[in-house]
Amino acid sequence: MVKRDKNFHLENIQKIIETRNRIAHGYDKISDDLIWSIVINHLPKLKEEIKSKLEE
């Protein structure tokens, strides 16, 4: 089990973890549309957030 660093905060960390678990374990047969929506709508923002944190 991976422990989270309490000092490192991402805006939607719980949703990211839940989505990862759904994909990894095949819960409810994840739709292609949902995955594509995440890629288009959420990954660019997450990328910028992480980039910003790495520059701190």
Side-chain angles (χ1 to χ4, degrees):
M1 180 170 164
V2 177
K3 294 183 181 181
R4 282 194 267 167
D5 182 346
K6 304 279 186 209
N7 298 317
F8 186 83
H9 176 74
L10 293 174
E11 186 175 320
N12 293 308
I13 191 67
Q14 192 58 44
K15 286 183 180 181
I16 293 167
I17 292 168
E18 290 168 7
T19 301
R20 179 264 171 214
N21 289 340
R22 287 180 68 195
I23 292 168
H25 300 291
Y27 299 141
D28 301 321
K29 305 281 182 176
I30 306 297
S31 74
D32 293 342
D33 291 338
L34 175 62
I35 299 300
W36 190 246
S37 173
I38 291 169
V39 168
I40 297 300
N41 298 313
H42 300 289
L43 282 184
K45 182 178 179 185
L46 177 61
K47 179 181 175 182
E48 289 304 315
E49 187 178 0
I50 291 171
K51 227 170 126 175
S52 173
K53 296 228 180 251
L54 290 174
E55 292 171 354
E56 290 179 358

